[in-house]
Amino acid sequence: MPAFTPHRVHFGGDYNPEQWPEEVWAEDVRLMKEAGVTMVTAGIFSWARAEPRPGEWDFGWFDRVMGNLADAGVEVCLATMTASPPPWLSHRHPEILPVTAEGRLLHPGSRQHYCPSSPVYRAHAVRLVERLAARYADHPALSMWHVGNEYGCHTRQCYCDVSADDFRRWLRERYGTVDALNEAWSTAFWSQAYSGFEEVLPPRAAPTFPNPAQQLDFHRFSSDALLACHLAERVVLGRVTPGVPVTTNFMPHHKPVDQFAWAAHEDVVSLDFYQDPHDPETHLGAALAFDLMRSAGRGAPWMLLEQAPSAVNWRPRNGPKPPGAMRLWSWQAVAQGADAVLYFQWRQSRGGAEKFHSAMVPHGGTGTRVFREVAALGRELASVPQLAGSRVAPPGTALVQDWNSWWALELDSHPSTALSHTERFLAHHRPLFEANVPCDVVPPDRELSGYRLVIVPSLYLLSEETAARLTAYVRDGGHLLVSFFSGIVDDCDRVHLGGYPAPLREVLGLTVEEFWPLAEGATVTVRGGTGREKGPIREARGDLWSEAVRLEGAEAVARFDGGELDGVPAVTRHGYGEGVAWYVGTRLEALATRALLDTVREGAGVGPVLPGLPDGVQATVREADDGTRFLFLLNHGTAPARAALPRPMRDLLKPGGTAEAHVTLPPRGVAVLT
Amino acid sequence: MPAFTPHRVHFGGDYNPEQWPEEVWAEDVRLMKEAGVTMVTAGIFSWARAEPRPGEWDFGWFDRVMGNLADAGVEVCLATMTASPPPWLSHRHPEILPVTAEGRLLHPGSRQHYCPSSPVYRAHAVRLVERLAARYADHPALSMWHVGNEYGCHTRQCYCDVSADDFRRWLRERYGTVDALNEAWSTAFWSQAYSGFEEVLPPRAAPTFPNPAQQLDFHRFSSDALLACHLAERVVLGRVTPGVPVTTNFMPHHKPVDQFAWAAHEDVVSLDFYQDPHDPETHLGAALAFDLMRSAGRGAPWMLLEQAPSAVNWRPRNGPKPPGAMRLWSWQAVAQGADAVLYFQWRQSRGGAEKFHSAMVPHGGTGTRVFREVAALGRELASVPQLAGSRVAPPGTALVQDWNSWWALELDSHPSTALSHTERFLAHHRPLFEANVPCDVVPPDRELSGYRLVIVPSLYLLSEETAARLTAYVRDGGHLLVSFFSGIVDDCDRVHLGGYPAPLREVLGLTVEEFWPLAEGATVTVRGGTGREKGPIREARGDLWSEAVRLEGAEAVARFDGGELDGVPAVTRHGYGEGVAWYVGTRLEALATRALLDTVREGAGVGPVLPGLPDGVQATVREADDGTRFLFLLNHGTAPARAALPRPMRDLLKPGGTAEAHVTLPPRGVAVLT
Amino acid sequence: MPAFTPHRVHFGGDYNPEQWPEEVWAEDVRLMKEAGVTMVTAGIFSWARAEPRPGEWDFGWFDRVMGNLADAGVEVCLATMTASPPPWLSHRHPEILPVTAEGRLLHPGSRQHYCPSSPVYRAHAVRLVERLAARYADHPALSMWHVGNEYGCHTRQCYCDVSADDFRRWLRERYGTVDALNEAWSTAFWSQAYSGFEEVLPPRAAPTFPNPAQQLDFHRFSSDALLACHLAERVVLGRVTPGVPVTTNFMPHHKPVDQFAWAAHEDVVSLDFYQDPHDPETHLGAALAFDLMRSAGRGAPWMLLEQAPSAVNWRPRNGPKPPGAMRLWSWQAVAQGADAVLYFQWRQSRGGAEKFHSAMVPHGGTGTRVFREVAALGRELASVPQLAGSRVAPPGTALVQDWNSWWALELDSHPSTALSHTERFLAHHRPLFEANVPCDVVPPDRELSGYRLVIVPSLYLLSEETAARLTAYVRDGGHLLVSFFSGIVDDCDRVHLGGYPAPLREVLGLTVEEFWPLAEGATVTVRGGTGREKGPIREARGDLWSEAVRLEGAEAVARFDGGELDGVPAVTRHGYGEGVAWYVGTRLEALATRALLDTVREGAGVGPVLPGLPDGVQATVREADDGTRFLFLLNHGTAPARAALPRPMRDLLKPGGTAEAHVTLPPRGVAVLT
């Protein structure tokens, strides 16, 4: 498997020269040098230009683009050009168009207008990739492959007849017999038993809730259908250019694609992340997504393959990144393990749907704040080549995430449809981030023994095998925190019988007798124990959820106070084997979650990267092969922040500076200390 | 017509053994006995199991189920199994699938995925019922038939081409000639005159408001199309098992099905009612629905065929029933005339769309609060067999309800689209309920002479015949209260010309010159008269609606104060013949409506079941054939309530207790006194 | 071109006798005389009655209607009857039905259910118009033609295959070659290049944002497709009845139809306007719409072809017009240049979708407030025949409006999708209206030299030619005010490169370096200069938008205070040539906009019609050919208003009154002074 081993943190962006006359290209290369660009991603939307009519190829212009870049020493992450089929393809083959659950046909005119299961689309895509790989296999500019683009961004699932056929094929492979499918899908309910696979359909719009297991499997199938598109191209590249690393750009908090499953096929994991400058907590979402990327790649450096130099254009209201924000958020990616900082896109489009998306070279040209900040970051990254290849120091804490559980958690017909997988993960990641406690985000089958603390936030779908591994993890001395509505169903969305959460009852030392979801806007009071029971929570509010917990070995750390559940345990602690298992039965407000997690991780012996930091300062450590440790400090707050260092250290971003025992970061300030 | 004459109030629930392996069935029967179950409803969703492939029958398993139940002495309300067609039927006959007004096809995967007009569906359903009836006609467990299930719950109306054909047939039968249809539908407006029936369509999505009479007739047709499905099965049962009573489960506040028209075909009327524990007024909606059920059955005992033991799963957030609530609300049904208290369902499903719907036997088994409360209620009902067959004492008050008017009232293109039929009925029923004044809910053609007070809340569609009957009712001494926007249109949604509400002007003694609907959030002040005019209202707020009333014999009891209608009558009273007619021209706030109705019914000589009860206590009386009167007291409040009884009485639910002159009910407490 | 030269201001309404039995018609004519009716619009929805079956004509009944009206001296504005095709047409030709962008077919049952591009619809419409024109060409009642009705009211755009074909034809005509289309649509973006016209589709529902230039052209095409329907009929009328003026009724603030382009084809411009009595600012929207109508007709008298006598029926909640409001708002139209005040409709329908729309003769008959107010206005208008033919005195101010820019401004994928064209225009028109400064609303190609002040509110799409004309206008001494997001793109929605707003930078003396749209609910503070810079604004709030302006010759009149843009110019002034150009970079609150515009127009030497008027009083002047000036004063406020007149004047609406130097208007009062 070819490795991604850059000599420095890459810097650059998507390059779409086909939008501009050839005379602009020379300026492009000149400005790239000025901006410190080392890598561009080219060709993402070039299919219609490269194959203007079926089987008619035009690569001459692209040869010149590649030549220019090679001459300038800019590496190319070459796209396979298959993200947006040209109009002629859907015109000749309208059967490639996707269809929604409501039966609405999605037409060409934007992008990603293909059914992922379409053999016609796949065949044309592969034919193009064959040509492309053969032509540029030995080109000096070729550095990496970028397959497809943002899989599942718009067309998350397709419900057309072609997809239906492919879904049936997938089900046959999964279940073998229709009896097994009937069993897995609980079709005895509502008279849904199939007499043959040919009767099965995607969960199209129905009079009321479609079968949940059918919906769950359709999520799985849809991720796999996109993956099959990806692999069809990837196989060609692996054959034709075996030494060139391959990636595709994942999206953050992105439900359609099981990124743990996909990451196994990537030589390097990549992410697109678009902060919302109108959201003061946008860096928190980034922090979680970055940790997930790094963990998906098992700790190896990853690529920030797209971000905006400033504003985007696709939210209802698109604020620009204020001065310093783009630099701060770029360094956040590096601090959390990225070895590439790229943008969408190099030059701002004059027309089309993204002309108001910021670019490295804005409409207003180089005499703009945006270009100045881009070029400054380019220079800055060039000054610290030693960062490349270093890895984030292995965290002692892990959050367990599972796309299967995500899909199942957010199905309809639940005790409460207000539960959001992403909200639940952010709520548990945030107190770690704020405390500067590094953490991984791992799939349920990842080895856990290396972690001191494992957190399981509302992992609704949990196999007995995983539950057994979590139980053993605690028995052997691990610390575990589980929050409500975890361990409820098996892989087929069938309830684990015997009292919720049946497979975790032993390790948690309790049973949940009844779910007690709260009405919109309703809250409960949670009060901590007194005397011996005195724990991390004095009094806190919960909302969204409560439940009737019955202790079976665990002790109550806090209880509901008032209401129908007055006196019922809300937070519990269970010493089990060598370890400890905690449980939380409501959605605690943020401060209480922070206090609880501080207590839990202190018990687990998990500390921050650097203690005593002011609020809003993020700290991470990357370690180089030679043992050098780089301490990153980032000030996400609005006030200057002064931090005491463990020893006098030098800020690599201040060339010529001396080692100091303290560092003061202005708002949006960054230091890389060693 | 076979009668429903249980020897005690039935207790039990839906039983779906096909969801469980056969070894569980023995436990089922054992636990049913433990829980005091006397009746189960079986087979509702068994079609796919009973006919796994077209024409291939498998009743052996069901024979064993029926045998087990017979052996245990549990009566079976046997479902006709037609509620959810098996996948093979829609696979072979996709033309049975329903289509929405927007042209969206509804697919299998949930339930009720059939076009009610489909001859294919009906033929397959009838074929199944023939088999079923023949097989179990003489089975000792067979006690009743349950035809279909919750007709119109999800598929309320179908707009497909099959339905269009059937709609045209229905119209030909109704109107005879296309000229008559043109006249009835006022097609001279907007150039809509048809030259032949073949041009007529359902009111599918159109550029703007479809013809209102077309919409109204489509509501009628759709109720009739569902009824035709029902009757196609019912006819078979009446022929094969003439002595077995037949029912189907109505839904509360359910617009698609004209329950008065349907009730004529039922041997006993049944209702499903699912309280929302998050709604502190959920018992008020139940009270209205229960009164309607009893009235639809002309006072005979009815069946609560489904309720939840605790939480449901289909609202966005589903709270459980807190301790005592299920018992209280079950007794409320009995207090209002039910002779059966059944649940959905016996054993909580492990998979499928309703696995989080509570059941008599929860996922957690019998060691749960829910099972304990269920079994306790089972024992309690067993202790009072004498209640069965008694009837609610005939009320002196009636609310007039008409599905035709409901359909018409909520059409588009009205003075205000914010009028809700159900809200209007709840607003008029609530002050009676709170005052413990029993009332019936009757169709417009019901004989009224037995009532002292008749209430007509916003009965927009009112025929001249009904208006004449109401007029005669008052002339002969009746008391009548009419609220705004009543008597506006005829059966074809054509305005009664000559000043609103033309056919009621004489009895009300007024004309409404203009409607004056209020903007969202706007209110009007209503002020009562002074001196001689001094009436029930001092000062009150109205919203939603106001209007310009011109007195023509009536006197103003309250007038609008301020605004454009300053001084215009808002509430009027008209002595007419031997009776009195009241009119209300705005939506009064609840307290004012209560004060007004108290005055009106006092004038009519209609009093409460028991005077002087604390707020929140419901009182009803059932009378047995032998003259025994049972006084039910139910505390819907959150505080203990002490009630003075008319004489020392004994609480049947406290065996061994002595007769007392007072009873104190805890919150959610119930007493059955005699 | 035949002229519209009424001898007095016309009064009347839509007349739909086909809804009533013939015996009502005699009463109609009698009541028309009583109400002072001089003109009716007849036949709008008579197609199904006139051609009950294909090619079978029935005009006899309409002959009698026309005869009755002629006998009574009522002029007929004869509709072409094509607004709503009869059921037989769509039954035989379902391909005429329109389809939405989502692929939803719109069915008959309401009105306007035709694809504007349908050759079948057009052929049938033209055949009908030929018949109609030939039959009534010489009828004494025929006064005008009313072609179609409210084009684009419901079916704004059609996306069916017929429309797709017509769109391609339109594109071929516009662009000639597919290369030119690719260039214009920027199809290099997202791989959208077409290899032939046959691949092009309407912007149907797609996975994400469809190509913006495609969307923009589809707006243009759709307006043109409706216009083609209109012209197909108009051509017949011009041939058969060359001397009869032709009109069609425009709708206010109506995006689908480019009224400037259409007005060129009308002999007189007409408007339907339905005030919302629940909206206290409804007269402001009317004022803008009326100014636009007059300007579209280049100052000639226009017709208020429809208004409601009182309530409408198509809003969610429809308040009636309180006493005096209908008179006031009718006079507002006349004051702003109308020579006809007509209603929808003469007699209130008994059935159909608009039976609750008020009419001149209500359901309650003539003994109603509505009829009394209608008849009173009829008498009043009859008393001032000298108003007819007079024209509003030419304004010194113009707002520049462009349907192309409207369509482009509200496309998706913009910096902020919260910008509304209509809101922006209302916000700039209101301060002129409140100051009684008359203004025109003109297209970008209108000659500007006659104006002292030109206002350009957020004219996003602006050609270089228009920009050059605006620049020359200022250079030659004009005063110009431009608000943010103007001059951004060309006719193909391609950004003008070189710094925003490139083609206006010279005249404005500035560059906008970055857009800085605000989050929902967020505001900015704007503070005026001190000392020499002291301008119209001290401190004001802005919302929705801000931006980073860089001065290049202009001076800052106010700056952002605080936030990321602290100190950046928010309002600028640029002396350029002989004139002045102002720029506004945020959405100022109303008071600040008023203060700014007062300053700007004082600088431009533009004053009010009459100074010193109380708030809420509208003043306009119409001038007759003989030099007589009519001063209209209308009190839109809720309190009496006393106005000082420039000299003693006589109120024409108070016959017998004497000339006075002051006039006092009650709330909703009107005076016509001379």
Side-chain angles (χ1 to χ4, degrees), chain A residues 239-327:
Chain A
R239 171 165 46 76
V240 182
T241 61
V244 180
V246 169
T247 194
T248 190
N249 45 347
F250 290 147
M251 301 181 71
H253 315 308
H254 192 225
K255 189 171 171 182
V257 163
D258 180 348
Q259 293 172 356
F260 290 129
W262 283 53
H265 302 283
E266 308 305 308
D267 296 321
V268 53
V269 173
S270 299
L271 179 69
D272 294 353
F273 198 93
Y274 289 94
Q275 289 89 353
D276 181 358
H278 281 160
D279 174 8
E281 299 188 342
T282 193
H283 61 290
L284 299 176
L288 173 57
F290 295 170
D291 280 347
L292 172 57
M293 275 307 102
R294 188 189 62 247
S295 306
R298 296 181 173 270
W302 53 281
M303 302 178 74
L304 181 62
L305 205 55
E306 291 184 25
Q307 67 169 340
S310 185
V312 300
N313 68 301
W314 39 263
R315 294 194 180 96
R317 298 171 186 236
N318 301 289
K321 293 183 178 174
M326 183 272 290
R327 172 177 178 256

Side-chain angles (χ1 to χ4, degrees), chain C residues 16 49 116 121 242 265 282 306 354 362 567 598 632:
Chain C
N16 299 300
R49 179 81 185 265
Y121 166 73
H265 303 283
T282 193
E306 290 184 23
E354 295 197 324
D598 283 352
F632 292 77

Side-chain angles (χ1 to χ4, degrees), chain A residues 637-652:
Chain A
T638 54
R642 177 174 161 91
L645 302 175
R647 53 180 172 82
M649 299 179 87
R650 202 166 60 78
D651 183 355
L652 296 179

